[in-house]
Amino acid sequence: MRKTRSIGGHDRRPGFWVYGVLVAVILGSFFPIWWSFLIGSQDAAAINKNGMIFVPGGNFFANAATVIDSIPFWNALLNSIIVSSAVALSVVAFSTLAGYAFAKLKFRGREGLLVFVIATMAVPTQLGIVPLFIVMSRLGWTGSLWAVIAPGLVTAFGVFWMTQYLKDALPDELIEAVRMDGASMIRSFWHVGLPAARPAAAMLALFAFIGTWTNFFWPFIVLDPGNPTLPVALQQLQAAYYVDYSLVLSGVVLSIIPLIALFVVLGKQLVAGIMQGAVKG
Amino acid sequence: MTAATEVDARAIRRISFNHRLSHWDVKLSPYLYISPFFIVFALIGLFPLAYTAWVSLHDWNLIGGQGDFVGLENFQTVLAQPYFWISLRNTFSIFLLSAVPQVIAAIAIAAVLDFNLRGKTFWRMGVLLPYVVAPVAVALIFNDLFGDKYGVINQLLNTVGIESIRWHVDVIPSHFAIATMVNFRWTGYNALIFLAAMQAVPRDYYEAAIIDGAGRWRTFWSLTVPLMRPTIIFVIITSTIGGLQIFDEPRMFDQYGQGGASRQWQTLTLYIYELGWNQRNFGRASAVSWLLFLIIVLIAALNFYISRRISATSDKAIKVRPIKARGIS
């Protein structure tokens, strides 16, 4: 048997121009991040004097210290961690449960409800901010992290994602076997459904975490300046120091370090997640 | 004897009780498992959208709360505001400047990534890197790059003899700069989606194309792209829904956040924010929210309709798509 990939030139090692294009693309995605460090490590005088800057200056830590003094940085970092983790956890829990039901259990109205879930993925819920704000003020939640966590608790995408995954990943026979042994529905979910869902659940958690971490619009509206998440704190930094870009960009560097670190460790999983989702979605 | 029958009866009763319990367990559990999603989504997704319509029909102040019922007055007022139309124009302009080049670039990058590369993971990760940078951070970085006076981009333009562009003053340049921020963050992400679609093309289709004498370029256009169509539609629709609600980048494009002195880059969501939280007029903010909602639904439906039409016609042409088993009716 011949390898299926062998015809069509798809297995030949590509020429240099391909790598040339790729290097250009990678530089394009890396340069702005590098630039924020380049400027963030200068002092105000240097960036106003020189036209072009090619090497990092020695001022990063001094800038960072100023940033940390002038915006509630640690508070914002902690808030971002809390909010993103809470949302990731809840999205995964509810999506796995619902996905398991949609993929593996039989019940009246299943098809219709699943179509409804898929349709809601296209609903721009962000446009409900005015009532959401009214509700949050009535509850007295404005300014608290609950106001940011609550709207993120479930996503239609998560339910769809887990449904698609569990359809293939979990054989019906396995559930039947556990049921025959007398396990209740929730026990069979716990012992068979959950373990099978783990890889997809981990990816979903990752995406929910990043999505919440980078979210700005709603936290900006509902949180107090004194108790922000990182993106909201960055906005304050810009408002305070718009003339001194070395300070602003050192704050940017501080704020993107956590997710860049996460990316270095889990970037491979992110790539796999996007590519899997694309084929199934 | 009597004792034994009593035990039996009790056992039977217990069994039937267990049986009934497990019957309800089977019946109700699925609904129990899906209910958290539906309950929370109803509370935080559907209810606010419906309630937006209610608020839009009232005088409603951020501080003072609900006022008189005013019918469609908020809509009339808003539609008579020049800023509404400017925002609408800006929203579409920024959306087109980001969506079109982004989809094209993403497909091109995906095609390059589809080669049999050394170090696949490295290239794929490199392309995805911008995705983990928050839009607010992206905006601050590009604000500096697009600086009107000392920005790198203008300096580069100057060295090749082009005069500085007033990115933060003129309409189209500001849209271009904001679209660049969006593209920076999402092109790689979409490229990976397209790459997955390309790799899902069965390799023996390529074999057949080669035997038919098609070159690489022709194969790409007549085989790969048509087979990727569902994915392309998916990306276009999701980027439409997201792109028309763009807020972060234009909000951060200057320190005032109002979309420029003459609202050169004010988008509709930015306008909603201004109406609701600066002018404290929740009624009008809701009216604009509803209008934007309708626009998005309309455009998404239009997208869907057009792409269905296109795919219907070209399906007849290529006839290679595996057809799902379906009853004849």
Side-chain angles (χ1 to χ4, degrees), chain A residues 100 170-195, chain B residues 25:
Chain A
Y100 175 75
L170 176 58
D172 290 329
E173 294 78 27
L174 211 56
I175 304 173
E176 275 157 30
V178 197
R179 293 281 297 150
M180 292 293 263
D181 288 348
S184 65
M185 294 295 271
I186 192 72
R187 277 184 74 89
S188 53
F189 167 73
W190 191 258
H191 288 293
V192 179
L194 210 54
Chain B
D25 188 24

Side-chain angles (χ1 to χ4, degrees), chain A residues 10-11 13-14 19 29 32 35 51 107-108 116 123-124 126 131 151 179 185-186 217 235 238 242 245 259 263, chain B residues 25-26 30-31 33 44 48-49 52 116-118 125-126 130 132 141 143-144 152 203 245 247 251-252 255:
Chain A
H10 272 266
D11 77 327
R13 291 285 175 190
Y19 289 102
S29 65
W35 181 257
F107 55 97
R108 202 184 282 265
F116 179 80
V123 175
Q126 182 169 273
R179 293 281 297 150
M185 294 295 271
I186 192 72
F217 188 37
Q235 186 273 325
Q238 182 203 33
Y242 67 95
Y245 249 78
L259 276 201
F263 183 78
Chain B
D25 188 24
V26 171
Y31 296 106
Y33 299 167
I44 59 174
L49 271 181
T52 304
N116 187 17
L117 299 168
R118 282 175 207 282
M125 276 177 68
V132 298
I141 297 169
N143 253 354
D144 185 45
V152 177
R203 297 287 149 167
Q245 299 180 69
F247 178 85
R251 171 62 185 79
M252 301 299 290
Q255 71 274 22

Side-chain angles (χ1 to χ4, degrees), chain A residues 2 4-5 7-14 17-19 21-23 25-26 28-33 35-36 39 47-48 51-52 94 97-98 100-102 105-109 113 116-117 120-135 138 150-156 159 179 184-186 189 207 210-211 213-217 220-221 231 234-235 238-239 242 245 248-249 252 255-256 259-260 263-264 267-268 270-271 274-275 278-279 281, chain B residues 22 25-27 29-34 36-38 40-41 43-49 51-52 55 60 62 66 109 112-145 150 152 155-156 184-185 189 192-197 199-200 203-204 206-207 210 216 231 234 237 241 245-248 251-256 269 272-273 276-277 282 285-286 289 292-293 296-297:
Chain A
R2 214 181 209 162
T4 34
R5 283 184 63 118
I7 293 201
H10 272 266
D11 77 327
R12 259 189 303 142
R13 291 285 175 190
W17 71 270
V18 168
Y19 289 102
V21 171
L22 279 175
V23 167
V25 171
I26 303 274
S29 65
F30 188 71
F31 173 76
I33 297 169
W35 181 257
S36 64
I39 297 299
I47 55 171
N48 289 335
M52 288 288 201
F94 291 142
L97 212 50
Y100 175 75
F102 277 124
L105 305 180
K106 289 179 184 62
F107 55 97
R108 202 184 282 265
L113 288 170
F116 179 80
V117 170
T120 56
M121 283 201 284
V123 175
T125 47
Q126 182 169 273
L127 298 179
I129 42 157
V130 168
L132 211 49
F133 188 84
I134 295 171
V135 170
R138 292 251 172 93
L153 286 176
V154 299
T155 60
V159 174
R179 293 281 297 150
S184 65
M185 294 295 271
I186 192 72
F189 167 73
F207 283 104
I210 294 172
W213 187 284
T214 55
N215 191 14
F216 175 65
F217 188 37
F220 170 66
I221 287 174
L234 276 185
Q235 186 273 325
Q238 182 203 33
Y242 67 95
Y245 249 78
V248 173
L249 289 185
V252 166
S255 81
I256 63 180
L259 276 201
I260 301 263
F263 183 78
V264 170
K268 217 171 154 177
L270 269 178
V271 169
I274 293 168
M275 292 184 60
V279 176
Chain B
S22 114
D25 188 24
V26 171
K27 276 262 176 213
S29 289
Y31 296 106
L32 200 65
Y33 299 167
I34 62 170
F37 169 78
F38 284 94
V40 180
F41 185 78
L43 288 176
I44 59 174
L46 289 184
F47 165 73
L49 271 181
Y51 201 56
T52 304
V55 177
W60 204 301
L62 169 64
Q66 186 172 2
I109 292 171
V112 175
L113 286 172
D114 194 32
F115 279 97
N116 187 17
L117 299 168
R118 282 175 207 282
K120 287 188 178 65
T121 312
F122 169 79
W123 300 113
R124 289 176 188 175
M125 276 177 68
V127 160
L128 187 63
L129 179 64
Y131 167 67
V132 298
V133 184
V136 170
V138 172
L140 288 175
I141 297 169
F142 277 82
N143 253 354
D144 185 45
L145 294 174
Y150 307 112
V152 177
Q155 291 188 35
L156 285 177
F184 168 72
R185 186 149 184 265
Y189 184 95
L192 290 181
I193 293 182
F194 288 134
L195 174 63
Q199 301 203 326
R203 297 287 149 167
D204 38 337
Y206 289 124
E207 222 165 298
I210 298 287
R216 179 159 233 152
T231 309
F234 170 79
I237 290 181
I241 296 166
Q245 299 180 69
I246 183 174
F247 178 85
D248 303 7
R251 171 62 185 79
M252 301 299 290
F253 197 53
D254 68 7
Q255 71 274 22
Y256 310 110
T269 38
I272 293 171
Y273 179 80
W277 281 270
F282 270 6
S286 298
S289 297
L292 181 54
F293 176 74
I296 290 175
V297 170

